[in-house]
Amino acid sequence: MEEKETVFVVSDSVGETADLVVKAVATQFNGGFVELRKNAFVENYEDIEDILLMAKQVPSLIAYTIVIPKLKSYLDRRAKEENLAAIDLLSPLMDAFSRTFNKSPKYQPKLMRQLDESYFRKIEAIEFAVKYDDGRDPRGLLHADIVLVGVSRTSKTPLSMYLAHKRYKVANVPLVPEVAPPDELYQISRNKCVGLIISPDKLNSIRKERLKNLGLTSQANYASFERILEELDYADKIMRRLGCPVINVSDKAIEETADYILNTLKK
């Protein structure tokens, strides 16, 4: 049985970069003819020797992304001694960067996989938005970057999640005439509270569609004009008491409203 041509994909990290480059090249040669053997987290000379031993058994070449200088030099030397082709996928571009921009690389593996502070802030903000959604725990209002208030179906939750992806901790509180707002809402700065309002016609349409999706009759009190006007009037009184900026979300996309909120709060 004829041995299949093999490319040993070698990396001192996950190996995604080398894997993608090799696959891109292989497609130019009807890629299915070649077998890829991925070797990730290669961190010592013994790992390299194991790869060389396997590579000698089949028609092969080695494609690698190794940035640790000693490890790279060792692989280059030993591959040459074993008469094996070892292709460095990173150094030509890194050398070009150094020459052109007069900067030195860090020569540190796994940098692309390091989770930076910004990533952790986003995850924390998303978890915060979930935990303090829909007035679930009013204690979160005191720790939020932004607090959204409004009647049901004014996009409070989607806005909270969208802003969380921008690394803002957002809590939201539904305003319902039968339920007094939590005391914490009056303890926060009005500079981080935003009221969301909507036209009665738009809210009526949204609520009817919501009831329809739930399999309920559109004649329910939730979607009645009388009830909607009562809720909007109540919300207006609360927002006036808070002294917070108010945004009409009737004809705005989530992204547009979010940008408006951030610009308003910055002012």
Side-chain angles (χ1 to χ4, degrees), residues 11-16 39-42 65 109-113:
S11 176
D12 50 16
S13 185
V14 178
E16 288 178 341
N39 299 266
F41 302 109
V42 173
T65 52
K110 309 173 189 175
L111 289 181
M112 285 184 64
R113 280 289 173 175

Side-chain angles (χ1 to χ4, degrees), residues 92-251:
L93 189 56
M94 287 175 63
D95 291 343
F97 265 62
S98 296
R99 290 193 306 270
T100 305
F101 305 125
N102 194 29
K103 295 182 182 297
S104 298
K106 296 180 179 180
Y107 296 114
Q108 295 177 19
K110 309 173 189 175
L111 289 181
M112 285 184 64
R113 280 289 173 175
Q114 287 185 1
L115 303 179
D116 60 16
E117 184 181 350
S118 177
Y119 174 83
F120 283 115
R121 283 204 307 271
K122 182 168 76 170
I123 296 300
E124 186 179 6
I126 292 172
E127 291 176 344
F128 187 95
V130 171
K131 184 175 182 179
Y132 299 111
D133 181 45
D134 207 29
R136 199 167 297 162
D137 184 348
R139 293 174 298 180
L141 302 180
L142 302 175
H143 306 288
D145 299 319
I146 301 171
V147 175
L148 305 177
V149 297
V151 301
S152 173
R153 315 314 293 176
T154 49
S155 301
K156 296 186 298 299
T157 296
L159 276 168
S160 295
M161 295 307 299
Y162 184 86
L163 290 166
H165 277 82
K166 291 181 174 291
R167 292 171 288 281
Y168 291 95
K169 293 180 180 178
V170 186
N172 68 76
V173 178
L175 299 180
V176 185
E178 293 78 14
V179 181
D183 294 338
E184 288 85 353
L185 188 58
Y186 300 106
Q187 297 171 17
I188 62 174
S189 168
R190 67 178 183 178
N191 293 327
K192 67 176 185 179
C193 183
V194 177
L196 304 177
I197 61 171
I198 189 170
S199 71
D201 289 335
K202 183 73 172 180
L203 186 56
N204 177 253
S205 175
I206 292 173
R207 288 191 174 183
K208 281 185 176 180
E209 189 63 28
R210 173 64 172 164
L211 290 173
K212 181 180 176 182
N213 291 337
L214 293 173
L216 302 174
T217 173
S218 61
Q219 302 305 313
N221 187 46
Y222 177 71
S224 74
F225 249 96
E226 184 180 352
R227 173 64 182 182
I228 286 172
L229 291 174
E230 179 188 0
E231 288 187 31
L232 291 175
D233 181 62
Y234 173 75
D236 178 66
K237 291 176 181 177
I238 296 298
M239 292 173 195
R240 287 176 182 274
R241 181 179 172 186
L242 291 171
C244 64
V246 176
I247 298 173
N248 192 321
V249 301
S250 299
D251 299 306

Side-chain angles (χ1 to χ4, degrees), residues 64-83:
Y64 70 87
T65 52
I66 292 179
V67 297
I68 302 172
K70 289 183 179 179
L71 212 56
K72 168 188 157 39
S73 297
Y74 184 84
L75 175 54
D76 287 338
R77 177 174 62 81
R78 289 291 293 119
K80 188 174 183 181
E81 291 173 355
E82 298 294 342
N83 199 29

